[in-house]
Amino acid sequence: MAKLDAGTTLRRLRNRYRLVVMNDDTYEEVVTFHLSRLSVYIGMSTIIVVLVSFTVGLVVFTPLKYYIPGYGSARIGREYRELKYLTDSLEKEVFEQAQYIQSVKSVLDGSVELKRDTTKLELPPDEYDNK
């Protein structure tokens, strides 16, 4: 394969071509463009850069950014954490209240088995008992 040197590549980029848009029925030339490969590359690159810039600007400077996953303001994150802590504490309190109510119900039903402490305590003599 023949190796291309920089002069021929640059010359090919600058070669001029004609793009003709014709009416298919009458063969009338509607529009004619004189283009080179270099102008087509530059034009396409410009269009891509403009579209990307427009899309980024639209996302950054409008409320659309809040629809991007993982993006949010610090206020929303702080509120989320506060709500999580509040929910956890409320869940704990509801669980403890349910346990308390269950204990009261079992005492009222008489289904609690009481274990009596029958160990004898050795108490020191009280000085007021002798008088």
Side-chain angles (χ1 to χ4, degrees):
M1 186 168 162
K3 189 167 186 167
L4 301 173
D5 59 337
T8 59
T9 305
L10 188 58
R11 207 173 324 127
R12 261 191 295 153
L13 284 176
R14 290 187 178 177
N15 283 342
R16 306 222 9 121
Y17 299 95
R18 183 172 24 173
L19 175 67
V20 178
V21 178
M22 299 178 74
N23 186 343
D24 209 20
D25 295 330
T26 62
Y27 297 110
E28 176 187 359
E29 288 184 10
V30 177
V31 173
T32 302
F33 296 103
H34 295 282
L35 304 170
S36 66
R37 289 182 182 179
L38 183 62
S39 65
V40 170
Y41 291 148
I42 291 173
M44 294 300 285
S45 299
T46 304
I47 290 172
I48 290 172
V49 166
V50 166
L51 285 176
V52 168
S53 300
F54 177 73
T55 304
V56 168
L58 188 68
V59 169
V60 169
F61 297 116
T62 63
L64 288 175
K65 62 185 161 195
Y66 297 115
Y67 292 105
I68 297 174
Y71 188 89
S73 66
R75 181 181 56 84
I76 291 173
R78 186 177 61 248
E79 287 177 0
Y80 171 74
R81 283 190 301 275
E82 288 174 2
L83 285 175
K84 186 174 186 283
Y85 296 144
L86 181 62
T87 304
D88 287 344
S89 64
L90 287 175
E91 282 179 353
K92 183 179 176 186
E93 191 168 330
V94 166
F95 178 73
E96 290 172 354
Q97 284 180 352
Q99 279 184 331
Y100 175 76
I101 291 171
Q102 185 63 34
S103 298
V104 170
K105 280 183 182 180
S106 63
V107 166
L108 292 176
D109 290 344
S111 60
V112 176
E113 188 176 309
L114 296 175
K115 290 187 178 181
R116 297 190 176 165
D117 188 12
T118 58
T119 57
K120 185 177 180 182
L121 295 177
E122 297 291 332
L123 298 175
D126 195 12
E127 17 180 283
Y128 299 110
D129 286 340
N130 297 336
K131 294 185 179 181

